[in-house]
Amino acid sequence: MEDFLRLSGSRSLGGHGQLDDYEQNRGRMSGKISRLDLGRTCLMGANGEGKLPIRMSSTGSGRRILHRICGISLAVVAAALLAAANTAPAAAQTAAPAAPVVNDVTPANPDFQQIRIGYVEWKEKSLTLSLSQNPPDDLGVAGALSAIRDNNTTGTFTKQEFHLLVEPAKTLEEALAARQKLIDQGVVAIITDVPADAVLALADADADKAGILFNISAKDERLREEDCRANVFHIQPSHSMLADALAQYLVWKKWPRWFLLTGALPADQEWAEALKRAAGRFGGQIVEERVYSETDTARRTDSGHVQVQRQMPVFTQNAPAHDVVLVADDSEIFGTYVPFRTWDPRPVAGSAGLIPTTWTPNHEQWAGFQMQNRFGVLNTRPMQSLDINAWTAVRMVGDAATKAQSNELAKIREAMLDERFSVAAFKGEKLTIRKWNHQLRQPILLADGFSVVSVSPQEGFLHPNSLLDTMGYDEPETKCSF
């Protein structure tokens, strides 16, 4: 009750134009009072438990302002309590949906449309260089479950109920078996957290390509280009989208000279190619590229930091004049070791330092703060990029099912492919699907591990249709043909 009163006392002010007066006159009150304690303070005075516990100035202006505020606050509290009392029976009948559980398909409301969403989870998680960044066991699945709960909240009004079915896989064969098991259980869409080859295999198992398969983790360009499939929708941005987002910011900052450090593995090479393409598109210059030839790391040895401290300055010395060190290390072999260890003191970006991403635990704009809090309460950990990707996929199914007013796959897919379809995902604007390759358009966050430094697309980079299409392969450039 006290928390409710505090919240009511503080939030009822802004709508009546009293908060600014209160803030301006706080200095005249010799006893300070916080916004969160205002409701409690008003209630104490109104209940006759003593005088208001604030000492006023001799002018009395502070007391007059506080009395006006308290009158507004207590009126709101009384109205809210009366409304709660009148609606208690109805609330008991339409209680908030229970927290969803993986693989529980028992209907809570048998008369609702039942909508099942599948999830193929790749169990071969890769280690990260930073111990604190190692993936949690429920990475991605937790985001999908959070979205199931959000869908079911809406579903109490639309008479639709959503369930999440998760099947693990470690090999291509296991992934195909997981897909079939999910299909047999009647899912309308499958979320895939699997490598690119597995995405293609799962897509091709759908002979007529009429299903809905979400790619939430593979960045490979070929999945959106020459190897695109009509039944695959890409939530995860491609390497080119991430590279273009970063390049726009570096050019906007007037840091056009880039020293590129590339890993030796194929994923690193593709990331490097995307960064070089971005340089050509936006006016950057790769002054030199060097390949870090090691394919393993001393991340867990006692002397690892000593080796890195000696190796990295030598690896980066005698480079041409540059503004930024770009790191292309998708494989987590060396990228984390680059900041603060280069020969020349320069900012680092790419796979370390300033990182382009779909999400960061520090994102709080556009209601992101509320999303972070909701997710933290449900999962007792911060939300990560794969979580928001899975969340977005589930919400797309939910929004499409609501628009279609159906639990049939064909009607949900039709609604999702409608040119007016969009999904809100705490990015400041609606996210839409590119018709030419089914990549989700979305702003890209540029984060440094402590804050969101910027969000791309950047000011000044124009496009005739959507500024979001300045990132990644545009329709005239695409090699995709469904």
Side-chain angles (χ1 to χ4, degrees), residues 6 21 36 84 129 132 134 147 175 197 256 263 307 311 357 398 429 462:
R6 288 173 183 163
D21 289 340
L36 292 177
L129 289 175
S132 65
N134 274 338
D197 288 340
Q307 296 179 37
Q311 287 177 357
T357 181
E429 57 185 294
L462 305 179

Side-chain angles (χ1 to χ4, degrees), residues 69-144:
I69 293 171
C70 285
I72 295 166
S73 300
L74 290 174
V76 171
V77 172
L81 291 174
L82 181 60
N86 290 336
T87 59
Q93 295 175 8
T94 59
V101 179
V102 168
N103 295 333
D104 180 7
V105 295
T106 304
N109 298 283
D111 56 327
F112 284 15
Q113 291 179 344
Q114 302 296 309
I115 302 173
R116 298 178 180 181
I117 301 173
Y119 190 118
V120 179
E121 181 186 17
W122 198 253
K123 299 304 288 187
E124 290 293 330
K125 304 293 185 184
S126 58
L127 289 176
T128 60
L129 289 175
S130 170
L131 185 61
S132 65
Q133 298 301 312
N134 274 338
D137 292 338
D138 63 349
L139 182 62
V141 173

